[in-house]
Amino acid sequence: MQRRLIATLTAALMLVVGLLGTVSAEKWIPVNEFKIGKVLHMTGDVALTGEKQRKGLELILDEINAAGGIHGVLPIKVIYEDDMGTNPGAIAALNKLLYDHEVVVTFATVRSTMVHALAPIIEEEEIPAIFGGSAWSLSELRNPWMFRVRCDDRTVGAAMAKFLVEGLGHEKIAALHDSDAFGSGGYQETSRALKELYGIEPVTVQKYASGTKDYTAQWMAIRDSGATAVFGWGTRSEDDGIILRQRKELGLDNLDLVGSNSYSTGTTKDIAGDTAYGIYSLADFTLSTTDPYQQDYIRRFEEKWGEKPDGDCTWTSTGLLVFVDAIERADVIKVENGQVYMRPLKETRERIRDALRQTKDLQTPLGRANCDVWQNMVHSINVIQVVPDGERFISSVTVDFEPYQ
Amino acid sequence: MNTVLQLVFSGIAMGFVYALCALGIVLIYTSAGVVNFAQGSLVMLGAYIGVTFLTKAGLPVIWSVIGCAILMGFVGVVFERIAYYPLRDQGTTIVIISTIGVSVFLNDGVYVLWGRAPLFFPPLLGGPPLELLGARIPPQNIAIAAITMALLLFQTIFFKRTWLGRKMRAVAQDQDTAALMGIKVPRMIDFTFAYSTILAAIAGIFAAPLFFVSPAIAQILSKAFASTVVGGFGSIPGAIIGGLCVGLTETFAAYYLSSAYRDAWAFLLLILFLLVRPQGIFGEIVAEKV
């Protein structure tokens, strides 16, 4: 009797386990492509930077898809939605990617103020998102689904302060910054570093709204403050180009200017022309790099697009490489009988998030990607000078970081 | 002292750009009775066409300006025939919505024709800035002031001394009476739209070297609108003075009060005028008749 009971229970248990196994196997979803979203500036007055982001992304996308896609079996499809360069536009774009296209993971944008607008949706929808905005305030959100693939402002601010004081020997320093989240955050980080490291406070702080066309008042205030150097945090390359031209027109090009990455983008240089020569910039990426991997990236980019890459291009290239590396480590794809399957969406996203956190020593156009406790991937920045034939590499600063685990 | 002077010159230069755009708004408002919300976009289109003639076609500056003005004159007539004339009996609101539609179409349309990269527009007058009492004035800014004043003079003579100008003024004052006097009202409105669009083209060509050519130029509309209100809606001298007031206010307030709220100061001026003197500097109080 007891033997029959044990046998019956064993058989029942095996049936349950077998059924569970069948259910688990059925959870895998057949897929023909892996959908990645990209909130992109396609129209509006920052559309040019959006175009560069697209080119950076598609360079890597086409190379990966030419090799078969993820694990060589699943092509990637990137779906773009236009953010029109505005916060409401970015929110609408992300909602379309989530609900109309059901993308698995997504890129947010490079503008910190827009990333702030997207952050609550990313957290609520639990979708892994890579972004390029560098404002430190984004790290302080502690959003478990957001990963940054550019150097954060705290690092850049410290490097900027160090270069102004130790590299150029200035003590009377003025600040000029965009009043949005990125510009204000960057200004605060540089000011904090100047104060903490050298006991220096800016002699004047001049702000402007994005899209301002006349900076005479700001430049006059800087001149009258007695500053010998200016540090600038600009969000839009278009604004930085005008700032540099008016600096020259007002005869203030004798002031050393050390600017954020946007001061050395191709767009800024196009607009500023020779008035950009001599300024310094803290750049994620420099064409004057001596790193063989980055030199090869520049060559491949030029071959594909007939132009040189800049900081707007490299963060999306880096982001896609980081995503693909994580997706391939996350064990979310399998092939059975020639059909590719993906785990259920929620589980796939969770596994990719966990894999992103384990990113280690991945080679990218922005250096080695390592995920730290703040979910920042990039930890080095270049100091460059804009010169007539391009850029002059001054130094590279890599900061210590605490790995995710 | 030279800081104040520098701010004055900068404010005047910006003010004249606003004034050129505001002049077009005033002309259409007085002749057709509607506020043209596409005027900023027409300024932008003028800048794009101007940069094409100057840098792509390689025409000399003077021919680029003349060519752009002629082409934009035709654009003005087409704009009037599409966005105003068929809707003129539907009420002012419908026409205003129509002009907003044209504005959106133009702002996005330039991406198709000229791409997304901002275009650099070389200064129409080169050379080093002029030094005056320690202030530096770019030749471009002097050209803007000179051309605006010349246009104002031309406009005054044109409207007061020529048959065409008088007919356009008659239509602006009372279309029905003008028609009874044998004036072809639709033709005169055509001329008004063409002329205001030429003004937009000139504003675009002169604004472009200060900014660069991109759809962002169209944002000038808000400042031009503030200029017309400050100067007195419908007043041609008011558009000029209003533009200068707005330009100087935002420049001085940015220096002495806060640079972050530069645009806010201009609109604060607008609000102050609406509260204290809603008819503007040159406007007259119109009594409502029962």
Side-chain angles (χ1 to χ4, degrees):
Chain A
M1 179 66 186
Q2 197 174 4
R3 272 188 191 170
R4 278 183 67 186
L5 183 64
I6 289 170
T8 307
L9 283 172
T10 305
L13 189 64
M14 286 174 70
L15 182 66
V16 169
V17 170
L19 280 173
L20 280 176
T22 308
V23 170
S24 178
E26 283 174 359
K27 279 185 178 175
W28 290 81
I29 306 158
V31 287
N32 297 318
E33 59 196 10
F34 190 94
K35 288 197 269 190
I36 297 179
K38 172 71 181 90
V39 177
L40 187 69
H41 317 319
M42 294 164 78
T43 58
D45 52 4
V46 286
L48 181 64
T49 57
E51 183 67 8
K52 286 174 182 285
Q53 289 173 43
R54 185 187 63 77
K55 285 179 176 173
L57 203 156
E58 289 188 0
L59 171 71
I60 303 299
L61 176 72
D62 292 349
E63 288 175 352
I64 291 171
N65 280 343
I70 295 166
H71 286 309
V73 295
L74 183 61
I76 299 168
K77 182 179 183 185
V78 174
I79 299 162
Y80 302 103
E81 283 294 347
D82 183 15
D83 61 27
M84 297 177 286
T86 65
N87 289 4
I91 290 169
L94 181 58
N95 282 329
K96 282 185 195 171
L97 291 170
L98 286 166
Y99 305 119
D100 293 355
H101 302 291
E102 293 187 323
V103 297
V104 183
V105 295
T106 191
F107 281 85
T109 80
V110 74
R111 297 188 67 186
S112 296
T113 186
M114 293 165 70
V115 181
H116 266 295
L118 298 178
I121 304 172
I122 290 167
E123 186 161 12
E124 192 178 320
E125 294 299 322
E126 300 186 336
I127 180 170
I130 277 180
F131 66 96
S134 60
W136 180 253
S137 55
L138 290 166
S139 291
E140 290 173 334
L141 294 176
R142 287 290 191 181
N143 187 322
W145 298 91
M146 287 176 24
F147 296 83
R148 189 200 321 259
V149 292
R150 283 179 62 219
C151 208
D152 66 83
D153 291 348
R154 183 153 287 185
T155 303
V156 180
M160 190 181 270
K162 191 175 177 185
F163 182 67
L164 276 161
V165 178
E166 294 180 23
L168 298 174
H170 292 290
E171 290 183 354
K172 287 187 149 187
I173 300 164
L176 175 65
H177 71 89
D178 196 314
S179 57
D180 71 357
F182 168 79
S184 299
Y187 151 71
Q188 283 165 7
E189 293 305 328
T190 305
S191 294
R192 191 180 59 83
L194 280 170
K195 178 81 176 166
E196 286 181 3
L197 299 174
Y198 309 104
I200 293 173
E201 289 194 25
V203 290
T204 184
V205 179
Q206 294 298 310
K207 305 174 190 175
Y208 58 88
S210 292
T212 296
K213 302 300 181 195
D214 179 29
Y215 297 89
T216 306
Q218 285 88 341
W219 279 122
M220 286 296 98
I222 289 168
R223 188 195 64 176
D224 295 348
S225 72
T228 56
V230 184
F231 70 83
W233 283 87
T235 300
R236 303 181 350 143
S237 298
E238 290 85 345
D239 295 345
D240 298 339
I242 297 175
I243 285 171
L244 294 177
R245 279 172 49 195
Q246 292 183 355
R247 165 176 169 259
K248 172 91 173 177
E249 281 174 359
L250 294 168
L252 298 175
D253 47 337
N254 58 325
L255 295 176
D256 274 331
L257 192 149
V258 182
S260 54
N261 185 57
S262 56
Y263 276 86
S264 58
T265 63
T267 307
T268 300
K269 286 188 263 190
D270 286 347
I271 294 168
D274 60 1
T275 64
Y277 298 160
I279 68 154
Y280 301 93
S281 172
L282 279 288
D284 300 307
F285 178 78
T286 174
L287 294 170
S288 54
T289 179
T290 53
D291 179 85
Y293 179 88
Q294 291 176 336
Q295 286 177 335
D296 185 55
Y297 171 81
I298 295 167
R299 181 190 59 73
R300 281 152 43 212
F301 192 96
E302 271 191 288
E303 268 181 20
K304 184 169 179 67
W305 299 114
E307 61 184 270
K308 292 183 187 301
D310 66 12
D312 287 322
C313 313
T314 45
W315 81 268
T316 49
S317 294
T318 298
L320 189 56
L321 286 168
V322 168
F323 258 147
V324 172
D325 171 67
I327 294 163
E328 292 190 336
R329 284 186 289 104
D331 186 27
V332 291
I333 302 293
K334 73 171 183 179
V335 184
E336 272 184 15
N337 301 324
Q339 172 66 53
V340 183
Y341 293 88
M342 188 178 78
R343 288 183 189 274
L345 190 59
K346 183 176 167 57
E347 187 183 350
T348 296
R349 287 174 173 172
E350 286 171 353
R351 282 174 167 267
I352 292 171
R353 177 201 60 193
D354 294 344
L356 281 166
R357 287 171 172 166
Q358 301 304 319
T359 302
K360 281 189 183 68
D361 211 27
L362 176 70
Q363 200 157 32
T364 76
L366 293 178
R368 299 274 176 180
N370 286 281
C371 189
D372 70 7
V373 290
W374 297 93
Q375 300 195 162
N376 292 325
M377 298 281 183
V378 175
H379 308 280
S380 60
I381 190 85
N382 303 298
V383 182
I384 61 159
Q385 185 176 33
V386 179
V387 292
D389 57 348
E391 298 165 358
R392 186 167 72 90
F393 177 75
I394 307 283
S395 63
S396 178
V397 180
T398 301
V399 294
D400 295 333
F401 61 90
E402 190 182 341
Y404 190 82
Q405 283 188 330
Chain B
M1 176 58 192
N2 64 1
T3 296
V4 173
L5 209 56
Q6 188 70 63
L7 295 173
V8 167
F9 289 136
S10 173
I12 287 175
M14 294 304 290
F16 275 128
V17 173
Y18 301 152
L20 277 173
C21 184
L23 273 175
I25 294 174
V26 167
L27 280 172
I28 290 179
Y29 178 73
T30 51
S31 68
V34 293
V35 179
N36 177 17
F37 277 82
Q39 193 70 13
S41 302
L42 292 169
V43 170
M44 172 203 69
L45 185 63
Y48 271 103
I49 292 174
V51 78
T52 305
F53 282 144
L54 193 66
T55 61
K56 308 282 182 196
L59 293 178
V61 170
I62 187 69
W63 287 113
S64 297
V65 174
I66 291 171
C68 178
I70 292 170
L71 189 55
M72 285 296 286
F74 282 110
V75 169
V77 175
V78 172
F79 167 59
E80 186 261 345
R81 288 288 158 175
I82 292 172
Y84 168 73
Y85 198 76
L87 303 170
R88 66 192 186 285
D89 297 328
Q90 303 294 315
T92 309
T93 310
I94 300 294
V95 178
I96 286 174
I97 291 170
S98 169
T99 64
I100 292 170
V102 170
S103 172
V104 172
F105 174 78
L106 290 176
N107 291 356
D108 286 342
V110 295
Y111 284 129
V112 178
L113 290 175
W114 283 279
R116 289 171 177 160
L119 303 175
F120 178 64
F121 200 121
L124 298 178
L125 283 183
L130 182 73
E131 295 257 3
L132 184 64
L133 299 171
R136 294 164 69 93
I137 318 167
Q140 176 70 22
N141 292 8
I142 299 169
I144 290 172
I147 292 289
T148 311
M149 296 310 290
L151 274 173
L152 184 63
L153 185 65
F154 166 78
Q155 199 160 294
T156 306
I157 294 169
F158 175 76
F159 280 114
K160 292 197 172 169
R161 308 275 175 178
T162 67
W163 275 107
L164 184 58
R166 285 174 181 160
K167 285 179 182 175
M168 286 167 72
R169 279 172 60 208
V171 171
Q173 284 170 9
D174 190 326
Q175 290 190 15
D176 293 335
T177 309
L180 287 171
M181 304 298 280
I183 296 171
K184 291 177 179 170
V185 172
R187 183 70 52 85
M188 290 305 108
I189 292 176
D190 277 350
F191 277 125
T192 307
F193 271 79
Y195 182 66
S196 72
T197 312
I198 289 170
L199 287 178
I202 293 169
I205 288 173
F206 281 98
L210 295 181
F211 305 164
F212 58 84
V213 183
S214 82
I217 289 184
Q219 293 167 4
I220 202 174
L221 175 74
S222 58
K223 300 287 178 61
F225 187 74
S227 304
T228 56
V229 173
V230 169
F233 226 104
S235 164
I236 288 171
I240 305 285
I241 299 300
L244 293 176
C245 284
V246 170
L248 287 167
T249 300
E250 64 178 13
T251 305
F252 273 85
Y255 181 85
Y256 288 106
L257 299 173
S258 168
S259 55
Y261 300 108
R262 181 191 173 94
D263 289 343
W265 302 122
F267 293 111
L268 186 64
L269 180 72
L270 167 70
I271 292 166
L272 280 176
F273 262 87
L274 287 174
L275 288 172
V276 178
R277 191 176 166 82
Q279 73 272 30
I281 296 170
F282 289 91
E284 293 171 3
I285 298 172
V286 179
E288 289 282 338
K289 291 178 183 173
V290 179

